[in-house]
Amino acid sequence: MPTPSIDVAQQLAQMRRDYGVGLRQELAELSTWAQTAASRCDSASEWQAVRDRVHKIAGGSSTFGFIEVGQSCRVCERELDAILGGRAPAVYDGIIERLAALPELLAGAEVGPDGEYEVVESLGGAAGDVEEPLIYVLEDEPETGAHLSQILESFDYRVRLFDDSRALRATCRTQRPDALILDLHFTGADDIGGLEVGESIQVGMDKPLPMFASEQSTDFETQLRAVRAGVVGFLAQPLDPIRVTALLESHMRAHRAAPLRVLMVDDDKAMLDYHRLVLESAGFTVKTLSEPDDTLAVMEHFNPDVLVLDVRMPRCSGPELAQMVRYQPRWLQVPIMYLSAIEDANAQLEAMTKAGDDFLIKPITPNAFVASVQARARRARELSAALSRDSLTGLLKHADIKERMATALAQARRRDEPIAVVMLDIDFFKRVNDTYGHLVGDEVIRALANLLRRRLRVSDLLGRYGGEEFVVALPDCGEAKAVEIIDELRESFSQFQFSAGSESFTSSFSAGVKMPGADEDIQAVIAAADERLYAAKRAGRNCVVGHG
């Protein structure tokens, strides 16, 4: 993920100046009201409106750095809560005095230096549109290095091969790779071994770099040193393409993960804009709503990883909205975080007992906000994956892929965009299991799953439909293009060499591609794609059938 530039801090500083202009007017209005009408006001509803107003100012002004204004408004809010809640006598003199003095607290504070805001750290795990993973390989055996590079490039990894440790270290300083593969027994001209090279590279990195060793060692001290150097896996010799890519894929999937999605609901547009910028600068995809009415509809097509709600909103409170969300079984696993200026512990506890998972208090620093939201979103996505994904392949299970495809089909129709549905089946798979055993059969299934995941887009939907059968949905893709894409994958898969003891063999798959008809639901489209799959089988297998 690209590191946010200092421009983010400059944008936040500009937001502060813009907010200060509106805040000056807001405080002037409250001050004028306090000096002219407040003493004659005995309407609870009018004072309730004032309480709502100072609550909103308390959160916004503190977030944008107008600390004294925020503190004074919080005092007013607490006192009004006590009076309106019947816990204190209706004596407003102190509140009126503070409201009248609010503009004085703003004097000289509306413009701050551009560098006042911290640059938001990109914490990872919310990858956007990035290039394929870049892997550096250190190997002094030309044949082994060329073989490993060929394996990686066949799965669309970008590879740079080094036989000089000094050149590798220099390149790492100028361009950080996504992973390193080091020959454990490498010995360069400077007599530095592979692990020593890795250790020296890690010293210069801001965060640990995933490393793999291309030789296995059973020596305890060597393995311990490898762990401390950041080695996350060993590539067993002789190199097996399927095992190599399976190991790499298990550690590199974050590169293919869609950005974490956050839906925020708050009646304060300035707060929405501020927190949206903070999250987007860290790589999140964010949608914001200033009215709660469309929350469920937006969730349906946006599918957020986490929901962030203000607590006190005019028409519908955050806890009330959270309970409506929880009425829907589909959203029971989505974390709900409250973001509010409320400091009262009892009020926070009450909100948390009503469908909430976390409570963040305004003001909160950008990095603390990013870290809190990311922790919840990541955990939710991991839990969802554990429940919805097949343990062998990491692809969506039967029921989950059908549900996602139904949503994708509805979205394609709303946007008047094409979507192609593909059914794939490994040819003669029973023969593989009978001849080489189920463990080898599992490797064939896993290899096809990894190929699909590596070569298809993040936006494409992949699922294991059952056994050796897979289903794919390609949004914004016509039938002819889909046939071309799947046929290229078929050609690549047919060239894989699988090992079973001293024997080796190849495999292939057949596929059927179908575009949805005007009135077809997802089940009908899948059935039609399945018919074309069987047409491919009848045509001799190892082919793709599109038009009926």
Side-chain angles (χ1 to χ4, degrees):
M1 183 196 317
T3 303
S5 70
I6 195 67
D7 182 56
V8 174
Q10 294 171 348
Q11 290 181 65
L12 294 175
Q14 182 60 50
M15 280 186 175
R16 180 182 192 265
R17 289 191 287 271
D18 294 342
Y19 181 85
V21 172
L23 182 61
R24 176 176 290 279
Q25 181 178 346
E26 183 90 358
L27 299 186
E29 291 174 2
L30 277 172
S31 178
T32 299
W33 181 84
Q35 296 175 61
T36 59
S39 60
R40 301 189 301 276
C41 178
D42 57 3
S43 166
S45 62
E46 195 164 350
W47 278 110
Q48 179 67 44
V50 172
R51 190 213 67 81
D52 292 342
R53 209 166 171 183
V54 295
H55 167 75
K56 189 173 181 179
I57 294 171
S61 58
S62 297
T63 296
F64 283 107
F66 303 102
I67 304 301
E68 291 185 56
V69 173
Q71 291 172 341
S72 184
C73 284
R74 276 196 171 87
V75 173
C76 291
E77 180 186 7
R78 283 196 295 267
E79 293 182 358
L80 284 170
D81 277 342
I83 293 172
L84 296 171
R87 301 187 302 276
V91 178
Y92 298 100
D93 295 351
I95 298 171
I96 291 171
E97 183 178 337
R98 271 185 290 277
L99 292 175
L102 283 175
E104 300 172 17
L105 301 178
L106 192 62
E110 65 274 1
V111 179
D114 285 348
E116 181 171 337
Y117 287 95
E118 61 188 296
V119 176
V120 183
E121 293 181 11
S122 177
L123 300 180
D129 293 329
V130 297
E131 292 184 278
E132 296 297 349
L134 173 63
I135 298 179
Y136 292 166
V137 177
L138 179 65
E139 176 58 64
D140 54 5
E141 290 289 340
E143 186 176 338
T144 302
H147 181 41
L148 181 55
S149 297
Q150 182 182 27
I151 291 172
L152 297 174
E153 288 170 350
S154 71
F155 278 84
D156 283 358
Y157 288 102
R158 294 179 295 144
V159 184
R160 289 195 61 180
L161 180 62
F162 296 84
D163 58 7
D164 184 328
S165 61
R166 288 168 295 190
L168 173 62
R169 289 196 294 269
T171 305
C172 285
R173 286 194 292 270
T174 58
Q175 184 179 18
R176 177 189 170 96
D178 298 298
L180 283 177
I181 297 179
L182 305 172
D183 177 4
L184 198 62
H185 302 300
F186 174 88
T187 302
D190 48 8
D191 292 327
I192 295 180
L195 274 182
E196 290 176 285
V197 174
E199 289 167 341
S200 66
I201 289 173
Q202 293 286 34
V203 170
M205 292 292 163
D206 294 333
K207 56 184 178 180
L209 185 64
M211 296 196 306
F212 300 84
S214 61
E215 291 276 356
Q216 178 71 57
S217 173
T218 58
D219 177 66
F220 178 83
E221 291 299 327
T222 302
Q223 291 198 22
L224 179 60
R225 187 176 174 186
V227 168
R228 290 174 175 172
V231 172
V232 295
F234 286 91
L235 309 181
Q237 298 287 346
L239 293 173
D240 181 286
I242 306 308
R243 291 188 177 95
V244 168
T245 53
L247 178 61
L248 286 175
E249 190 66 17
S250 68
H251 290 277
M252 304 295 288
R253 281 179 189 169
H255 260 274
R256 298 282 292 167
L260 296 168
R261 297 178 298 275
V262 182
L263 176 60
M264 298 191 67
V265 185
D266 193 328
D267 63 309
D268 189 334
K269 188 177 183 304
M271 286 289 87
L272 285 177
D273 291 343
Y274 173 86
H275 289 116
R276 178 175 191 152
L277 175 60
V278 166
L279 291 175
E280 288 182 340
S281 70
F284 293 81
T285 296
V286 184
K287 280 195 178 293
T288 59
L289 294 172
S290 55
E291 294 288 344
D293 306 56
D294 296 329
T295 300
L296 291 174
V298 170
M299 290 182 72
E300 191 64 33
H301 67 77
F302 183 57
N303 192 24
D305 293 299
V306 66
L307 185 60
V308 181
L309 306 177
D310 186 21
V311 173
R312 288 177 171 166
M313 296 181 286
R315 292 187 53 247
C316 171
S317 73
E320 289 171 337
L321 180 57
Q323 290 175 88
M324 284 188 274
V325 170
R326 294 295 193 227
Y327 286 157
Q328 316 301 317
R330 179 178 178 183
W331 307 122
L332 289 175
Q333 296 174 24
V334 174
I336 296 178
M337 305 177 73
Y338 297 117
L339 178 62
S340 175
I342 294 175
E343 293 181 324
D344 180 18
N346 290 329
Q348 293 176 18
L349 182 61
E350 182 181 0
M352 288 286 289
T353 58
K354 295 179 178 177
D357 296 290
D358 205 349
F359 200 108
L360 306 179
I361 300 175
K362 300 175 187 175
I364 181 170
T365 66
N367 278 329
F369 181 57
V370 167
S372 298
V373 173
Q374 186 190 55
R376 288 287 179 182
R378 249 190 194 167
R379 181 60 180 156
R381 187 172 282 191
E382 289 169 357
L383 178 61
S384 176
L387 295 174
S388 65
R389 294 190 179 273
D390 170 61
S391 59
L392 177 63
T393 63
L395 302 184
L396 289 167
K397 296 177 183 176
H398 181 101
D400 297 282
I401 185 63
K402 284 179 65 176
E403 181 181 341
R404 299 280 184 89
M405 290 173 68
T407 301
L409 175 58
Q411 187 177 73
R413 283 175 170 156
R414 283 196 303 271
R415 297 176 176 177
D416 195 24
E417 294 176 348
I419 183 170
V421 172
V422 185
M423 291 294 293
L424 302 88
D425 186 84
I426 298 174
D427 297 327
F428 301 114
F429 185 73
K430 185 178 183 300
R431 184 184 301 172
V432 172
N433 276 338
D434 292 345
T435 304
Y436 304 108
H438 288 274
L439 291 180
V440 175
D442 286 349
E443 285 196 11
V444 175
I445 289 174
R446 193 183 296 114
L448 179 53
N450 285 340
L451 177 68
L452 294 173
R453 184 164 39 234
R454 294 286 319 127
R455 297 276 286 273
L456 295 177
R457 301 168 299 177
V458 173
S459 58
D460 296 329
L461 297 174
L462 316 174
R464 185 181 180 194
Y465 207 64
E468 68 275 19
E469 197 169 31
F470 297 79
V471 64
V472 178
L474 306 174
D476 198 20
C477 182
E479 187 169 300
K481 184 63 176 176
V483 169
E484 178 185 337
I485 291 169
I486 300 301
D487 199 52
E488 289 176 357
L489 291 170
R490 179 199 60 77
E491 182 65 27
S492 296
F493 184 68
S494 68
Q495 295 174 13
F496 286 1
Q497 291 289 327
F498 296 94
S499 299
S502 59
E503 298 183 60
S504 65
F505 67 96
T506 60
S507 185
S508 64
F509 70 77
S510 303
V513 180
K514 177 69 168 67
M515 302 293 293
D519 301 319
E520 287 181 314
D521 62 14
I522 195 61
Q523 185 59 49
V525 181
I526 291 173
D530 204 41
E531 283 295 320
R532 294 186 177 183
L533 163 62
Y534 280 96
K537 296 283 189 182
R538 291 191 296 271
R541 294 179 169 81
N542 194 20
C543 64
V544 181
V545 171
H547 301 288

